[in-house]
Amino acid sequence: MSNKNKNKIFKPRPISGFLEWLPEVRLVELQWLDEIRDAFESYGFGSIETPSVEEVEVLVAKGGDADKEIYALRRLAAEPGEEDSSRLALHYDLTVPLARYVAQHAGDLVFPFKRYQMQRCWRGERPQEGRLREFMQCDIDVIDMDEVSMHFDAEIPAITLEMLHRLDVGPVCMHINNRKILQGFYEGLGIEDIVGAIRIADKMDKIGVEGVLDGLVEDLGIEEDIAQKCVDLAAIKTNDETFAAQVRAFGVENDMLEAGLEELMFVMLELAHLEKGSVMADMSIARGFDYYTGTVYEGKLVDYPDFPTICAGGRYDNLVGSYSNKKLPGVGISIGFSRIFSKMIKEGRVKIGAKCPTHLMVACLPGTPRCEVSGTARALRDRGFKVEMYHEEKSLKAQMKYASRKGIPFVWFPANSEQPKHEVKDMDTGEQVVADLATWLP
Amino acid sequence: MSNKNKNKIFKPRPISGFLEWLPEVRLVELQWLDEIRDAFESYGFGSIETPSVEEVEVLVAKGGDADKEIYALRRLAAEPGEEDSSRLALHYDLTVPLARYVAQHAGDLVFPFKRYQMQRCWRGERPQEGRLREFMQCDIDVIDMDEVSMHFDAEIPAITLEMLHRLDVGPVCMHINNRKILQGFYEGLGIEDIVGAIRIADKMDKIGVEGVLDGLVEDLGIEEDIAQKCVDLAAIKTNDETFAAQVRAFGVENDMLEAGLEELMFVMLELAHLEKGSVMADMSIARGFDYYTGTVYEGKLVDYPDFPTICAGGRYDNLVGSYSNKKLPGVGISIGFSRIFSKMIKEGRVKIGAKCPTHLMVACLPGTPRCEVSGTARALRDRGFKVEMYHEEKSLKAQMKYASRKGIPFVWFPANSEQPKHEVKDMDTGEQVVADLATWLP
C-alpha cells in the first residue's frame, strides 16, 4: 500500500444485493430478531451457530441448483497454487450446515435435537426484489434418531405462523403439501420420469397450465389425459382435510399416495385450531429439486401475492446421510428474515422511531459540577435506565436539539447551585417537572 | 452434480480457525452477547450492522498490515473474467466498515454518532491460540463532526471495563497511552524516522529491550543514549496521573509531547474512580501502524499475562477521511469477543448448564388426551414460560431421561382420568407436587 494511495479518497457506494440500515431501522430490526428468538425459545428450541463457511465438498454434497451461487473464499494475497482457503466457501443456507453439524456432533447431542439458527447466508445471484446476495435467515429444525414424530410436522408451521403474527407482517398463508402425494400420484399414473414430471409441474407459476401440459406431453412423452390429471391435481387447495377426498376421486391407487394423504391429513387436523386461512393443503407445492421426502411448506404474504415465498421447508429423511452413516431424519423451516423485513420497510409498514436506545439524556449545563452530572447518570443507569451524558460543552439549545433529533424521550437536569432539585423534561409534551433520582419513573 | 456423488458420504471435520459450539455452550455465549449489548445500550450506544463484505478498495484504503489477510469472494462457478464478485471481500474488522458507513450516510446521522456493532470478522491468518480466522468482535465508537469530546476517551474504557466485569472474566487491566506522547518525545529527541522508531519500540514484547536498542541504533542510526531514552520512556507505567512527572523528568521539550501528556492526564483523572489496577498509563503502548492519532488502549486479562490483547482501540482523526472530505474524527474500542469467550471456555471458567432454554417439559403419557397436553403447554407458554411438549409416544422413563439429559429444570404432568390434578416435578430435587396451571411459579 503506497502512501500516495493512502491520501486518495475512495467514495463508497451501496453494494447491490447487500443490505445496510440506518440506526433507527436497525433498532426495529433488533426488536424483530428478539421477538423471533423469543418465539422459538418459547417452544424449547435452542440456539446454535455454525461457521459462515463450510468446506466446498460439504456444500455441494446434497447436489442441486445452489452450487453455482456459492461464494468461495480466496485470500487476497494468496500465493499461486495456495490451496488452503480455496476449499472454503460461504454457506448459502442453514440446512446443510445443520446436517453437517448433527453428523459431526451426534455423540454430544440429545435427540430429538431441536435447534433454531439465525445467521447470515450468501448467494451469488442477480439481485432483484426479494433476492439478496447476503441475507439473514431464521431456521428451526428437529432432527431425531431413526424417526421424527409427525407432531413436529404440525408444530413447525404453527410456531412459524405465531412468530410472524407477533411481527405484525399482515396475514400469512402456509401452503402445505406432502411429496409422497405427488410421487405416489405420478407413480400410480404410470409416469416413468417422476422427478422430471414434478420438475415441470413445479413451474406452473412461471409457465402456466399450458406450459406445464406442453412440457409433460412433449418433453416427457406423457399422454395428454395423464398430463391433464397432473395439472388437475395441482389445482386442489383446501383449508382443511377435505383435499384427500378430492385426490382420491381421481381413482389413482398407490400406497405411497395413500401414505402421503394420511400424513397431510394428520398435519391439517393438528393445525385445525389455527386462524382460518392461515394454513392450506395445496397440491401444487413441490419445493423443486430439494431434499424433501414428506411434508413440504411454503409461506406467502397474503397481501403481496406476487412477492416470493417468505418461508419454506419440510421433512427430509436423508439429508444428514450425506455426512454420516446414521439415520437422522428431520423436519424444519427456513424463514427469510431479510426478505420479509426489507419488504415491510419498503411498504412503509414498520413504525420507525428513535435513532438510539437511550431512555434519558443527562444534560450537562454550566454551573453543574461534572461529577454531579456523571453521578446522576450512574444512579439512573443503576436503576436499569439507558442513559447518556451530553459530553460536549455546548449550549442548552444544542443539547436539546441533539436529544430531540435522536428521539430520546426524556432529558434530565441534575440539581445545581441555582436549581436545588433534579428536574426532568418530557421531550414529547415539553413538560418539565421536579423529579426524584431514586423513584422517578417515565 | 452426479447422482453417484450424491450417495457418497463426505465425512466432515472441524475447520481450523473457525469456532463451533455445542448447544450448551452456545446458550452461555448468547447470555454473554446479551450482557454486552445491555452494557453498551445502558450508555446510549445504538446498534448498527454493516454487510459482511466491503469493496476491496474500501478495505485497503487505510493501508497497513491487514491487507494480506483479507478473504476475497469468488463465485464458485464464476465465468472466466467474471469481475463482479471479485471486487468484494469479507471485512477484517468493524472500524473500517464504520468509517465507510459514516462517510456514506453522514447526512442521515445525528452527531456525535455513538454506535456499537457486534459482528463476525474474518482474517486469513495462521490459526494459533487467541487467533481465529472467523471471530465475533464487539465494538463501540463515537464519531463527531470536526471534534470529539475528550470525555469519550475516558468513557469508552470505562464502559468496556464495566462490561467485562459483568462477564466475570477475572481482573482486566486497560493499558492507556497517547500517540502524541510517543511522537512528541521522539521528535523532541531529534529522531528523524519517528514511524520507524515507534515501530521498533512497539516490538519490546517480542524482541526485548536489547532487541529494541539494537534496532534503534543499528537500523535507524540513532545514538545509543537517545535509544536508551526511548526504552526508558516505554518502562513508565503508573496507575494514576504521576506518569507525567516521570516523563517530564527526561527534560524533553516538545509541544506535541506536552499535549499528549495533558490528554492522558485528563483521561486518567476521569477514570480515577475505577477499581485500583484496572487502568494503567503505560508508555509502552503504541498500537503498531494503526490509524490512531491520540489516546490508545490495550486491554489484558491479568490472570493470563501471556494471552494476547483482548481489546484495543483509540482515537483516530483521519480514518473517515479515507472515504469523505468531511472532518469526522472518532474514538473507540474493539473487544475480541471470540478470543475472550473461547479462552474462558478453555480455562473452564464458564459454568455450562442446560442444553436448551426450556423451563418446563410437558410430559405426554398414555391416558392423557393430546389436546389436554397441548392446551397445558399453551397455557404455560402464555404465562411466559419456555415450554416444550414431548412428542414421541415413549415410556415415562424415556421422557424423564430426555428432560434430565437436556437439563430441563421442571417436568409438568397434566391432569388426566387417573390423576385429577396437575403435578410438577422438580428435576433437581426429584420432588413432585400438585400445581396450579394459572399460578404455579418455579
Side-chain angles (χ1 to χ4, degrees), chain B residues 412 419-425 432-437 440:
Chain B
W412 193 281
Q419 169 202 302
K421 288 191 170 169
H422 290 275
E423 291 187 6
V424 64
K425 185 187 182 89
Q432 185 167 332
V433 294
V434 167
D436 187 87
L437 200 51
W440 177 82

Side-chain angles (χ1 to χ4, degrees), chain A residues 402-433:
Chain A
Y402 170 82
S404 157
R405 290 191 64 202
K406 277 227 163 163
I408 298 172
F410 295 95
V411 174
W412 192 281
F413 298 93
N416 63 26
S417 47
E418 287 166 33
Q419 170 200 303
K421 288 191 169 169
H422 290 274
E423 291 187 5
V424 65
K425 184 185 181 92
D426 183 325
M427 294 297 284
D428 205 21
T429 63
E431 198 186 13
Q432 186 166 331
V433 293

Side-chain angles (χ1 to χ4, degrees), chain B residues 24-75:
Chain B
E24 55 270 33
V25 180
R26 170 65 186 160
L27 215 55
V28 182
E29 188 182 40
L30 263 179
Q31 288 160 9
W32 276 45
L33 292 168
D34 287 345
E35 198 72 62
I36 294 172
R37 180 177 152 191
D38 192 60
F40 292 163
E41 292 191 349
S42 77
Y43 283 82
F45 284 72
S47 169
I48 70 163
E49 288 204 339
T50 58
S52 301
V53 306
E54 298 285 342
E55 291 183 274
V56 168
E57 292 90 331
V58 167
L59 293 179
V60 302
K62 76 155 184 118
D65 258 2
D67 292 8
K68 57 177 184 292
E69 300 173 347
I70 292 172
Y71 277 127
L73 300 193
R74 177 180 57 84
R75 286 209 313 131

